[in-house]
Amino acid sequence: MENLTHWIDGAPVAGTSDRFADVYNPATGEVQGRLPLATAAELNDAVARAAEAQKQWGATNPQRRARVMMKFGQLLNENMDRLAEVISREHGKTLPDARGDVQRGLEVVEVCMGAPHFLKGEFTDDGGPGIDLYSMRQPLGVVAGITPFNFPAMIPLWKMAPALVAGNAMILKPSERTPGCALMLAELIKEAGLPDGCLQVVNGDKEVVDAILDNDIVQAVGFVGSTPIAQYIYGRAASNGKRAQCFGGAKNHMIVMPDADLDKAADALVGAGYGAAGERCMAISVAVPVGRETADALTEKLASRVENLKIGPYTAGEDVDFGPLITGAARDRVRGLIDRGVEEGARLVVDGRDFTMQGYEGGFFIGPSLFDDVTPEMEIYRQEIFGPVLCQVRAGSYDEALKIVMENEYGNGTAIYTADGDTARDFAHSVNVGMVGINFPIPVPLSYHSFGGWKKSAFGDLNQYGPDAFRFYTRTKTVTERWFSGIKEGGEFNFKAMD
């Protein structure tokens, strides 16, 4: 069993709290590591050390900081398979999925190589008689990232890359369930040239989170997780005068119009709904077919595809579609929600509750499930299931389908499959959701745009990565200057003074 550590001042550090969390292998159900849970005192010490390291790092030329990102990107590419192995072992996702996790984070690192452009200020010449104005972007100081279990590389990279290249030091608190990748990222960015202390990885639970939120040195907090925790962190951070960008839960819908290519729509729904066992905030968990014929045909196509999905441990090979859930408690919760859906009257077309993996009976596996005739009043619709379950809510018209999406409390992502440009354009303009896909099932923006949802999926004014990240991790200072040589009282320019 591996004894995990924190990462402080450029080196692994054992915890002192005598409190530990078990890190499981989800495929076997066995404990594979012990993770120290830091105290508030340990967190505060790491923050103080980060503040000292940040002074010199923040004063470093942005182009030099960008060169660290260039080297870091190279190391991420070289170590892609090692990182994916750690992710799969702790999370359970397939190796192709794990490599995609690293790749989407790497793309943000690549954008951060151009940080000098994003960090440029503005200049106004002669805003008044002899008066010039200019603005500059300066780092906040010490910032924090609190990241979830389901993307152990991508989301830490979304946080740390723009924060660090902007000149800040970062406290990273990864999920207790998947800590190994964050520790590897810390090693790699040290090798890339980041000064010791600028990235501190502090493992912990609520005690550490509260210590981050209450620490006066920490200037900003980024979080990804469930909506109740996002609301809690946002409120406590704001009340302590910190910037906060907190991303919560989701219930992502995909409308399927009668004119859509149903084979493409079904393929998209299966990939977007069941990939990574549904443990993605951008997973499509609700299909909304328009019209009875569309719904009947789509159900038939989905059922055959869902029944043929391959489930297994990541070690089973590249053709596995998805692996286990993260914990036994997560599996039991998903089973309970499926039970509840049946009780409420939804039609369970494919039932994955009793799936067991031969040779891995102790693992946290569950099979894929497909519901039809779900209504918005049902608990399986209202809850974010976060498992391999797709619910079909039938709609009689486009307007009814749009209303279903817009009345949901979440607004992370949504999609529509249609061959009609007018319908697609109306959907994109009308829907109150932050990220929209048109004939595209998981509309995660490319890394030079910004990622963010609406409604109860996001709290805060600025989104993740892209231009918004640099706005979030810097503050703007504007200087108005005037030099009196050559200026007469009353604002007229004295040309003789220039002779």
Side-chain angles (χ1 to χ4, degrees), residues 14 83 93 100 113 149 160 217 220 259 265 331 406 442 480 494:
L83 289 161
K93 65 174 68 178
M113 297 174 190
F149 74 85
M160 61 189 273
I217 297 174
D259 61 1
R331 177 200 58 206
M406 294 187 68
I442 304 181
T480 304
N494 184 352

Side-chain angles (χ1 to χ4, degrees), residues 36-357:
L37 302 176
T39 63
E42 287 176 286
L43 180 280
N44 291 333
D45 179 66
V47 171
R49 293 169 180 266
E52 283 301 310
Q54 188 274 332
K55 292 175 184 176
Q56 183 173 354
W57 177 242
T60 301
N61 184 295
Q63 193 165 357
R64 293 182 182 274
R65 297 198 299 258
R67 288 174 188 154
V68 172
M69 289 297 142
M70 294 178 194
K71 179 63 174 176
F72 186 39
Q74 177 186 339
L75 292 170
L76 289 172
N77 263 314
E78 292 171 0
N79 290 274
M80 180 84 69
D81 289 340
R82 284 182 59 222
L83 289 161
E85 170 78 22
V86 171
I87 292 168
S88 293
R89 190 170 66 242
E90 292 184 349
H91 177 278
K93 65 174 68 178
T94 65
L95 283 170
D97 225 352
R99 285 192 286 269
D101 188 335
V102 181
Q103 179 62 38
R104 289 310 301 262
L106 170 59
E107 290 167 7
V108 171
V109 174
E110 290 170 341
V111 169
C112 288
M113 297 174 190
H117 171 73
F118 289 104
L119 297 172
K120 289 187 303 185
E122 297 175 323
F123 186 87
T124 297
D125 178 56
D126 273 341
I131 299 172
D132 302 324
L133 296 92
Y134 63 92
S135 63
M136 61 185 84
R137 289 196 172 274
Q138 295 186 325
L140 300 178
V142 180
V143 299
I146 302 169
T147 59
F149 74 85
N150 57 330
F151 285 98
M154 183 183 79
I155 296 178
L157 289 168
W158 285 7
K159 302 295 184 189
M160 61 189 273
L164 292 170
V165 80
N168 300 285
M170 169 159 273
I171 307 297
L172 177 61
K173 200 227 69 87
S175 169
E176 311 94 283
R177 299 169 185 171
T178 54
C181 184
L183 295 169
M184 281 192 66
L185 294 176
E187 291 181 16
L188 293 175
I189 201 165
K190 173 185 170 72
E191 185 179 344
L194 183 73
D196 293 345
C198 290
L199 176 67
Q200 313 277 49
V201 181
V202 182
N203 296 296
D205 52 12
K206 187 175 184 297
E207 181 176 348
V208 164
V209 171
D210 286 345
I212 289 171
L213 298 175
D214 294 341
N215 187 290
D216 291 338
I217 297 174
V218 176
Q219 298 296 302
V221 179
F223 169 81
V224 177
S226 69
T227 287
I229 305 301
Q231 288 180 298
Y232 171 79
I233 290 175
Y234 182 77
R236 189 156 175 167
S239 68
N240 286 326
K242 303 183 193 306
R243 291 187 181 185
Q245 51 170 206
C246 298
F247 294 85
K251 199 73 176 179
N252 305 316
H253 302 66
M254 190 173 105
I255 295 175
V256 181
M257 297 297 294
D259 61 1
D261 183 319
L262 291 188
D263 286 310
K264 285 185 170 61
D267 288 340
L269 282 165
V270 170
Y274 297 97
E279 291 179 320
R280 298 189 291 207
C281 69
M282 288 296 285
I284 294 292
S285 55
V286 182
V288 188
V290 175
R292 180 176 176 178
E293 289 185 7
T294 305
D296 289 346
L298 183 63
T299 302
E300 184 178 348
K301 290 178 182 294
L302 285 172
S304 61
R305 287 164 168 80
V306 172
E307 289 169 343
N308 287 305
L309 287 171
K310 294 181 180 179
I311 307 153
Y314 77 93
T315 51
E318 301 275 322
D319 63 342
V320 171
D321 291 301
F322 68 85
L325 294 181
I326 186 68
T327 63
R331 177 200 58 206
D332 294 344
R333 176 181 175 275
V334 172
R335 278 182 182 160
L337 284 167
I338 297 171
D339 291 342
R340 181 63 178 153
V342 173
E343 292 169 8
E344 290 182 316
R347 183 167 68 93
L348 188 55
V349 180
V350 180
D351 186 354
R353 287 173 292 182
D354 295 330
F355 175 86
T356 56
M357 189 75 214

Side-chain angles (χ1 to χ4, degrees), residues 414-473:
T414 189
I416 188 169
Y417 267 62
T418 181
D420 184 76
D422 287 340
T423 302
R425 189 173 189 275
D426 180 81
F427 181 72
H429 281 258
S430 300
V431 73
N432 56 352
V433 174
M435 292 170 282
V436 179
I438 297 173
N439 297 321
F440 198 90
I442 304 181
V444 176
L446 293 174
S447 52
Y448 39 86
H449 290 266
S450 287
F451 176 108
W454 289 11
K455 297 185 281 188
K456 286 191 176 181
S457 293
F459 302 87
D461 297 327
L462 294 169
N463 291 329
Q464 298 184 95
Y465 66 73
D468 268 12
F470 291 95
R471 297 183 187 105
F472 181 75
Y473 289 117

Side-chain angles (χ1 to χ4, degrees), residues 126 128-131 483-498:
D126 273 341
I131 299 172
W483 301 99
F484 287 101
S485 58
I487 298 177
K488 289 179 63 176
E489 189 174 350
E492 294 180 8
F493 199 89
N494 184 352
F495 290 97
K496 282 196 170 185
M498 299 295 293

